[in-house]
Amino acid sequence: MKDKITLLYNGNEHEFPLIKGSENELAIDIKTLRQNTGLITLDPGYKNTGSCISDITFLDGENGVLRYRGYDIADLANNSSFIEVSYLLIFGELPSKSDVEKFENDIKEELLVHEDIKTILKSFPTGAHPMGILASLTSALISFNPGSVDVRSDEKMYHAIVQLMAKFSILTAWVHRKHEGLPLNYPDISISYVENLSKMMFMKPNKNYSNQSVITSALNKLLILHADHEQNCSTSTVRIVGSSEASLFASISAGISALWGRLHGGANQAVIEMLELIKRDGGDTKKFMSKAKDKNHPFRLMGFGHRVYKNFDPRAKIIKQAADEVLSDLGVNDPILEIAKGLEKEALSDKYFIERKLYPNVDFYSGIIYRALGIPTQMFTVMFALGRLPGWIAQWKEMKLNQEPIGRPRQIYKGRKHRKI
Ligand code: SDX
């Protein structure tokens, strides 16, 4: 196979190297395009543009493959803990028993936030969206942990990472408690990361609390399934914000805001709102399928379609199966699960969806499990953010260690030519 391509332009031949990935993906390296030809490329939404070379996550959209550091997502979801997968994504290898114990203990050492975070939390109006609070409090963490900004040494990078892994889980629980009007629970370092998350989120002041394995197991699996997804919108945001030398915490705060959008992580909330709308409307899925296909109608089938997956989203398959298991284990009978399955069945045999290769994505069934766990709809994307945190950290760290240049795309100007006042 040739290792370069030739561009014929203005009577000249310009050669550009071809770069081949571990799984044989190919890219044209256009680093010298503008200086050699005066040309730039134009690719709205970066549908055909690679932003970086990465060792972290591999997606094969045509075959529905997702691997973190070479491990298949199903293997990790069924056999690992979220902390082990976080370690794998951030440091590159599955941890030994002693590695994971040290990592989890180092996180426990940081499992507190400054009391003034509670004051900031309390200042948000009732009804404030949890994602907006989470983004703000994540940025506020910088003020209380100024040492997290300097990550020039391995030790300081590691310390900032364990600080964020620890404190983000408290922020996740506390924005939930704020949303529910419940008193805040402090962390418990005698239990695991996910058990502590569950306890901080769900322990009520008037009842004894004991962790339910069905809940912690479901949370563990969902967090793993959301942990990374190569150069998606929010991860690209985290990388480009970090490329300006903004701090890790500031970059993650920006990523949270990008994830909030309903076309991205906010879709898990939009899916449940859509399913509830269909249920309230009488459950006529065909009516809503027609709306979804009507270009003149703003309605879209939320939780369907994906920029990369053109066959099926492997995470959606795992979550769909988990939804049946969790609801059965919890004795929950949620009619919107049947509406979701009905929509999926119709879409998979509908010409419009087949032609456009639109399949359920990670967000289509996840909300049904969160709901069964007692998590409110507006908190679904916060759960996505906690899951994605180790992926964001891993990608940010890779960008820093690779000393990538500041992200600054070019443009084609189509505005007014020079004119006098
Ligand atoms: C996530 O990138 C990632 O990896 C993201 C993510 C991650 O883990 O980080 O996987 C998480 O964000 C999952 C996606 C969640 N979003 C949704 O479920 C929102 C609904 N989906 C769509 O908005 C859409 O499918 C996107 C945003 C997900 C993908 O959009 P693309 O790749 O830009 O595709 P497109 O909008 O160009 O759609 C191609 C065609 C269009 O029709 P035509 O103009 O060709 O006739 O498919 C149609 C679209 O109108 N289409 C849909 C549709 N999604 C696409 N039609 C109806 N319902 C939909 N959901």
Side-chain angles (χ1 to χ4, degrees):
M1 188 208 75
K2 291 178 66 177
D3 58 2
K4 55 180 176 281
I5 63 138
T6 303
L7 174 68
L8 195 55
Y9 174 64
N10 264 356
N12 298 314
E13 290 194 354
H14 302 275
E15 290 191 343
F16 298 94
L18 277 178
I19 294 185
K20 189 173 180 179
S22 323
E23 298 289 343
N24 299 317
E25 327 94 278
L26 288 173
I28 306 166
D29 179 344
I30 57 165
K31 279 198 283 292
T32 59
L33 177 67
R34 191 167 186 277
Q35 78 188 40
N36 291 351
T37 69
L39 296 171
I40 67 166
T41 59
L42 188 61
D43 187 19
Y46 309 114
K47 295 191 176 188
N48 305 283
T49 299
S51 61
C52 62
I53 290 174
S54 179
D55 299 350
I56 300 170
T57 291
F58 172 68
L59 299 190
D60 175 343
E62 280 65 36
N63 297 302
V65 172
L66 168 56
R67 296 191 199 121
Y68 298 159
R69 301 282 190 183
Y71 293 99
D72 187 81
I73 189 63
D75 288 349
L76 293 168
N78 293 324
N79 301 297
S80 302
S81 73
F82 176 59
I83 285 297
E84 286 169 336
V85 170
S86 299
Y87 188 100
L88 169 68
L89 285 166
I90 296 167
F91 303 110
E93 297 296 336
L94 278 170
S96 64
K97 192 170 179 310
S98 60
D99 289 338
V100 75
E101 278 171 7
K102 179 181 184 314
F103 188 48
E104 195 146 24
N105 288 335
D106 291 340
I107 289 171
K108 289 179 177 181
E109 281 302 307
E110 294 295 337
L111 254 181
L112 272 179
V113 294
H114 194 288
E115 279 294 290
D116 287 354
I117 287 282
K118 288 164 68 174
T119 310
I120 302 170
L121 179 63
K122 284 198 175 82
S123 68
F124 280 90
T126 304
H129 196 289
M131 282 295 275
I133 303 174
L134 183 67
S136 307
L137 293 184
T138 301
S139 196
L141 281 179
I142 304 167
S143 313
F144 297 104
N145 304 278
S148 65
V149 173
D150 177 1
V151 292
R152 280 170 297 177
S153 72
D154 291 350
E155 293 72 26
K156 288 180 177 177
M157 173 74 84
Y158 179 80
H159 188 230
I161 289 169
V162 294
Q163 277 187 318
L164 191 54
M165 285 294 295
K167 301 177 192 303
F168 202 89
S169 66
I170 299 171
L171 299 187
T172 298
W174 284 10
V175 296
H176 170 62
R177 302 293 284 194
K178 161 94 182 171
H179 184 268
E180 299 298 285
L182 289 169
L184 306 180
N185 289 316
Y186 282 95
D188 174 354
I189 62 169
S190 70
I191 51 182
S192 76
Y193 188 88
V194 175
E195 287 169 336
N196 173 56
L197 170 74
S198 181
K199 185 174 179 182
M200 288 193 290
M201 287 182 73
F202 302 122
M203 183 172 72
K204 297 263 185 0
N206 59 347
K207 287 182 186 172
N208 289 331
Y209 178 83
S210 58
N211 261 309
Q212 287 181 269
S213 60
V214 64
I215 291 178
T216 46
S217 166
L219 283 174
N220 185 66
K221 182 171 279 190
L222 284 166
L223 292 171
I224 288 171
L225 290 167
H226 287 83
D228 195 50
H229 216 238
E230 57 133 282
Q231 305 313 317
N232 59 83
C233 179
S234 54
T235 298
S236 299
T237 301
V238 167
R239 287 181 85 118
I240 202 166
V241 169
S243 73
S244 75
E245 296 202 3
S247 73
L248 173 61
F249 290 20
S251 304
I252 299 299
S253 176
I256 295 166
S257 296
L259 188 71
W260 191 358
R262 67 193 306 264
L263 295 186
H264 189 16
N268 58 17
Q269 171 179 335
V271 166
I272 295 297
E273 290 166 349
M274 172 187 76
L275 293 172
E276 285 176 332
L277 171 68
I278 294 171
K279 178 167 170 273
R280 280 198 307 276
D281 185 79
D284 178 359
T285 49
K286 289 196 182 332
K287 174 177 159 187
F288 285 87
M289 286 286 287
S290 306
K291 282 182 184 182
K293 296 185 284 186
D294 177 356
K295 291 295 168 214
N296 301 315
H297 199 290
F299 181 82
R300 283 285 172 273
L301 208 53
M302 300 314 280
F304 264 77
H306 198 276
R307 175 62 57 76
V308 175
Y309 290 124
K310 298 306 174 190
N311 190 322
F312 61 92
D313 183 333
R315 302 167 298 176
K317 283 195 161 190
I318 297 169
I319 293 175
K320 179 181 177 184
Q321 185 183 335
D324 281 327
E325 292 161 1
V326 171
L327 269 66
S328 162
D329 291 349
L330 289 172
V332 169
N333 175 23
D334 190 343
I336 65 165
L337 176 56
E338 294 318 308
I339 293 176
K341 287 180 177 178
L343 268 179
E344 178 184 9
K345 190 162 177 283
E346 279 179 47
L348 296 185
S349 58
D350 181 285
K351 188 165 166 287
Y352 173 96
F353 284 83
I354 294 167
E355 276 174 358
R356 290 164 181 80
K357 301 181 179 184
L358 303 175
Y359 297 88
N361 58 50
V362 66
D363 294 310
F364 190 60
Y365 286 105
S366 56
I368 291 170
I369 300 179
Y370 291 137
R371 190 171 139 110
L373 299 181
I375 296 171
T377 306
Q378 281 204 334
M379 273 292 297
F380 291 178
T381 314
V382 170
M383 300 311 292
F384 192 146
L386 178 61
R388 187 52 52 89
L389 180 66
W392 283 336
I393 291 171
Q395 299 272 352
W396 190 90
K397 176 168 170 276
E398 181 177 75
M399 176 276 300
K400 295 295 279 187
L401 297 184
N402 290 349
Q403 297 181 322
E404 298 198 0
I406 184 168
R408 200 271 183 228
R410 306 302 295 257
Q411 64 163 21
I412 291 295
Y413 176 71
K414 297 276 273 184
R416 301 290 294 270
K417 290 194 172 183
H418 182 226
R419 50 183 169 159
K420 297 283 187 196
I421 292 174

